Every structure is written in C-alpha cells, then in structure tokens.
Amino acid sequence: MDEQTSTWWQRQEMQGARALVLSSLAFSLMTVCVKQLGGRIPVSEIVLVRSVVSIALTGTAMAVGGIKPLGNNRRLLLLRGICGSVALLCFFEAITALPLASATVLQYTYPTFTAAAAWLLLGERLRRRIGLAVLLGLLGVVFVIQPEWLGAGQNGLALRPGLTALGGALFTALAYVCVRRLSAKEHPLVIILYFPVVSIPLTLPMVLHIGVWPSAVDWIWLLGVGVLTQLGQIWVTKGLSCLPAARATSLNYVQVLFAASWGWIWFNESITAFTCGGAALVLGASFISLSSRQA
C-alpha cells in the first residue's frame, strides 16, 4: 500500500469514527426523550411520530438534492426497513421498562451478532483485535448490568424487558449488515428513507387502536425523538460506509458511556463502581476497534 492510499484510508477511518461517535451521542439523547415520555405515550406511537419526522426531513433533503427515492436493491432496502423498525420497537419498549444504562447496554450486545452476521453474509474477516474488542465490550456489559451472580448486591433485570432488549439487539445487527451491503451502491438518504416507509404502515394500525393524544410537553419530546434519531441515522450510515461492520459497531459501544451519564444526570440512576468499570471496558473496546485495521 503506497503512502497516498494509506493516507486516504486513514482519512476515511477518521471520518467514519467521528460520524459514529456523533451518531452515538444523538441516539443517546434520543433515549432520554423516550424515557422522559415515561410510558405515557405507547411505544408504537413514538415510533410512528419518529417515522413521520424522518420521512419529512429525508424527503425534503432528497428533493433538494435531486435524489431518486426508490433505490436499486429494493428487496434489501425493504428488509433493512423491517429489521430497523422491529429493532426500534423493541428498544423503545426496553427503555420504558429498564434503567436507561441497562437498556442501552443490552441493546449494545448487537456487535456480537453483527460481527457474526458480517462474517457469514458479507465475508468480512474477524480479526483478532475485533474479537478482543467484542469480548471486552461484552464483559463491560455484564459489569454495567450487575447480575446477582456478580455479587454487586443488586437484583437482576426483569426477564421480559431484558429479552425484549436482546431481541432489539439482534434485529439491529441484521439492519446494520443490510446497511453495510447497501452503502456500496445506495445513497445514504435512500437507505434512511426506507425505515419510515416500512415503519409507518407497521405502526399506524397499533396507534389507531391504542394511541393517545400527546400533551404540549410530550410533543416536544416526540419531536426530539424524531430529529435526534434522524441525525443518528445520517451519521451511522456515513460511519458504516467508511468502516467494516464489525469494527463500526464495536466503536459504537461509546453510547453506553453517554447513556450512563444521562441516566445519572436526568433520572438519578446510580453509577456504581461496577458501572464505571464496565464503562472503562466498553471504551477500551472502542479504542481497540479503531486501531485494528492492520491487525
């Protein structure tokens, strides 16, 4: 590899890493908005409003840029939309039932699923440092969750919301692998568009059945969910176009740090020594992932 090519790769990696950190920040603030709604608004309604905001913003950007909305690989785009919609429904449900940090770290078990899926479906190598990053990240997740057998003096998480969060992680991984494959030929806005295209008809019947009219304050938080998720989607799509799927999702572990901070600041969720240790392991996994291309 000549010096010019090496410099280009380094620039691509830095752009990808920066985009993924920004996406983690945006998504973590989005979880604060969901948590603030406090179960007053059904999860399906939150996803519907988020999708309406997304389709309005994305459609406007595509019209300004003269981008055709249908895309090329429509089957895979629809699959990405389905996986992303199911993942978001599961994640929002977990946020309403679990502490913010716990819901986020369970969601962030998806790099393990992503690494396996990228290896099986995309043929990406599982380098040794990626394996180490995943193991460190999972160990950090265990520390933050603090199960009873760890001796942290706290009860384990409720089974149903915990399994819901893990289900969201699985579908997130499948959505990320789809994005990784699509990003080679599809415009990022086209990939983003297919999420609301699928999620609106998926959630609308649920909202018509169990929906409630939001208060003025609820509308502010709902708008925050839509705008912040849109920003997160743009940045994560950019990041996945610059980095292999397994490395990109390992780097996204940094969202756990943001979630723990917001949980402490906004919701008085305690931060224990186990939480701090787990956060340190998660951050270490991100740094190892960032430096692993040559491993």
Side-chain angles (χ1 to χ4, degrees):
M1 182 183 297
D2 58 38
E3 183 177 352
Q4 185 176 3
T5 302
S6 178
T7 301
W8 182 84
W9 270 111
Q10 291 175 359
R11 187 181 303 113
Q12 284 291 104
E13 289 189 343
M14 288 305 299
Q15 289 178 354
R18 187 181 303 112
L20 288 169
V21 171
L22 287 171
S23 76
S24 293
L25 176 60
F27 285 137
S28 71
L29 290 171
M30 175 270 295
T31 65
V32 172
C33 295
V34 174
K35 191 76 171 177
Q36 284 283 3
L37 290 169
R40 298 187 303 275
I41 306 296
V43 167
S44 57
E45 189 170 343
I46 299 174
V47 174
L48 176 63
V49 173
R50 171 255 180 270
S51 301
V52 171
V53 173
S54 177
I55 205 168
L57 294 176
T58 305
T60 300
M62 294 178 78
V64 172
I67 302 166
K68 296 181 179 180
L70 293 181
N72 301 307
N73 193 340
R74 294 168 194 170
R75 289 184 179 180
L76 191 57
L77 284 164
L78 285 171
L79 180 61
R80 178 265 181 272
I82 293 170
C83 291
S85 298
V86 174
L88 198 61
L89 284 166
C90 290
F91 185 37
F92 282 6
E93 187 67 39
I95 290 171
T96 62
L98 297 173
L100 190 57
S102 297
T104 303
V105 294
L106 282 176
Q107 167 71 6
Y108 270 78
T109 57
Y110 77 81
T112 302
F113 297 124
T114 304
W119 172 54
L120 291 171
L121 302 176
L122 303 183
E124 293 184 2
R125 281 185 58 195
L126 273 178
R127 296 182 174 88
R128 286 175 295 177
R129 288 192 182 184
I130 289 294
L132 177 60
V134 169
L135 288 175
L136 282 177
L138 289 176
L139 183 59
V141 163
V142 171
F143 271 55
V144 174
I145 293 176
Q146 301 171 38
E148 289 181 336
W149 55 262
L150 193 62
Q154 295 189 7
N155 295 326
L157 298 178
L159 180 60
R160 182 175 177 178
L163 291 176
T164 299
L166 289 174
L170 173 60
F171 279 98
T172 297
L174 294 174
Y176 270 46
V177 171
C178 291
V179 171
R180 178 64 182 169
R181 173 63 64 86
L182 290 165
S183 62
K185 295 183 179 180
E186 304 287 356
H187 193 282
L189 290 176
V190 174
I191 299 174
I192 293 169
L193 179 68
Y194 270 77
F195 179 94
V197 164
V198 171
S199 60
I200 288 176
L202 179 66
T203 57
L204 184 58
M206 306 179 201
V207 174
L208 292 176
H209 180 62
I210 62 172
V212 299
W213 187 256
S215 68
V217 174
D218 288 340
W219 277 116
I220 295 174
W221 294 116
L222 285 168
L223 183 61
V225 171
V227 172
L228 289 166
T229 308
Q230 181 75 0
L231 290 173
Q233 288 283 349
I234 292 172
W235 282 321
V236 79
T237 302
K238 172 63 176 177
L240 285 169
S241 69
C242 297
L243 294 172
R247 284 193 57 216
T249 49
S250 294
L251 181 61
N252 271 349
Y253 274 130
V254 73
Q255 185 174 336
V256 176
L257 299 177
F258 292 133
S261 299
W262 305 147
W264 176 63
I265 293 170
W266 265 291
F267 307 108
N268 295 318
E269 296 174 358
S270 62
I271 300 179
T272 66
F274 281 94
T275 303
C276 293
L281 289 171
V282 164
L283 185 58
S286 296
F287 283 125
I288 290 173
S289 172
L290 186 58
S291 63
S292 67
R293 184 174 63 88
Q294 299 293 344

